């Protein structure tokens, strides 16, 4: 294909070349917009949070811990909200003691702490125990079951609806 295009490229009118370039850039822009907007969470009329799964089937969103912006990954396999050390440092979170925990990567020692608030769209959870993970790469906070267990989760067709538990 590239050989075929090379042959025709030299005979292509400069204006036609510009139009092809414009068409490809437009297509790339539309695809970027589609995938970016499809990952954005939405809020229902009744104040619930609706997330769409990403390409790998995970649910990610922007949220806030103690009113500071963070990237969140919902993780039903995590016991507690788990914050990478570099994110904890940025948020001013300090560990009080430590725990030995089992992870997919084996046993590690993590710091214990608490956060005042975890906000995800219209939902705010208060006073959560956290792990601070010195071995975590990246800046994604794992939202574990100590937070998710306070919400009702309904998953259907690669979408996840989060709402407060009805007491």
């Amino acid at each position: 294909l590239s050989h075929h295009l090379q042959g025709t490229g030299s005979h292509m009118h400069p204006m036609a070349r510009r139009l092809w370039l414009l068409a490809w850039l437009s297509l790339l822009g539309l695809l970027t917009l589609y995938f970016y907007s499809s990952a954005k969470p939405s809020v229902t009329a009744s104040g619930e949070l609706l997330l769409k799964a990403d390409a790998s089937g995970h649910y990610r969103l922007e949220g806030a811990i103690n009113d500071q912006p963070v990237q969140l990954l919902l993780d039903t396999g995590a016991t507690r909200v788990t914050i990478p050390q570099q994110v904890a440092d940025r948020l001013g979170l300090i560990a009080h003691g430590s725990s030995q925990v089992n992870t997919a990567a084996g046993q590690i020692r993590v710091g214990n702490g608490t956060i005042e608030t975890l906000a995800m769209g219209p939902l705010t959870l208060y006073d959560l125990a956290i792990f601070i993970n010195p071995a975590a790469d990246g800046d994604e906070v794992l939202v574990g079951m100590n937070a998710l267990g306070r919400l009702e989760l309904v998953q259907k067709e690669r979408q996840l609806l989060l709402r407060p538990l009805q007491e």
Side-chain angles (χ1 to χ4, degrees):
L1 181 68
S2 64
H3 174 70
H4 177 71
L5 287 176
Q6 275 182 330
T8 60
S10 59
H11 303 295
M12 196 182 280
H13 190 274
M15 185 58 102
R17 234 185 267 149
R18 283 192 201 109
L19 286 173
W20 269 112
L21 179 63
L22 190 61
W24 278 109
L25 288 174
S26 298
L27 179 65
L28 284 172
L30 286 171
L31 285 171
T32 302
L33 194 61
Y34 170 76
F35 285 109
Y36 177 73
S37 65
S38 68
K40 286 285 200 194
S42 57
V43 179
T44 68
S46 54
E48 302 160 338
L49 185 63
L50 183 65
L51 303 174
K52 290 180 172 62
D54 65 13
S56 61
H58 294 104
Y59 295 100
R60 292 182 160 87
L61 72 151
E62 288 181 26
I65 289 177
N66 298 346
D67 298 321
Q68 299 293 311
V70 290
Q71 292 298 315
L72 302 173
L73 170 64
L74 305 191
D75 186 354
T76 57
T79 310
R80 279 192 195 174
V81 172
T82 303
I83 303 175
Q85 183 69 59
Q86 63 269 23
V87 175
D89 292 343
R90 175 173 66 82
L91 299 175
L93 301 174
I94 299 163
H96 302 287
S98 64
S99 299
Q100 194 78 15
V101 296
N102 294 310
T103 72
Q107 277 207 343
I108 59 166
R109 184 158 290 283
V110 295
N112 299 324
T114 57
I115 55 174
E116 291 173 25
T117 61
L118 170 63
M120 299 179 282
L123 307 172
T124 301
L125 302 174
Y126 298 91
D127 192 33
L128 288 164
I130 60 163
F131 289 138
I132 299 172
N133 185 353
D137 291 331
D139 61 355
E140 237 172 15
V141 173
L142 302 181
V143 180
M145 287 308 295
N146 69 321
L148 295 175
R150 295 187 187 182
L151 301 170
E152 183 180 347
L153 309 179
V154 181
Q155 183 176 334
K156 192 167 103 181
E157 295 171 4
R158 295 180 57 83
Q159 293 191 343
L160 184 65
L161 186 70
L162 292 90
R163 59 182 163 227
L165 280 173
Q166 299 306 314
E167 308 259 328

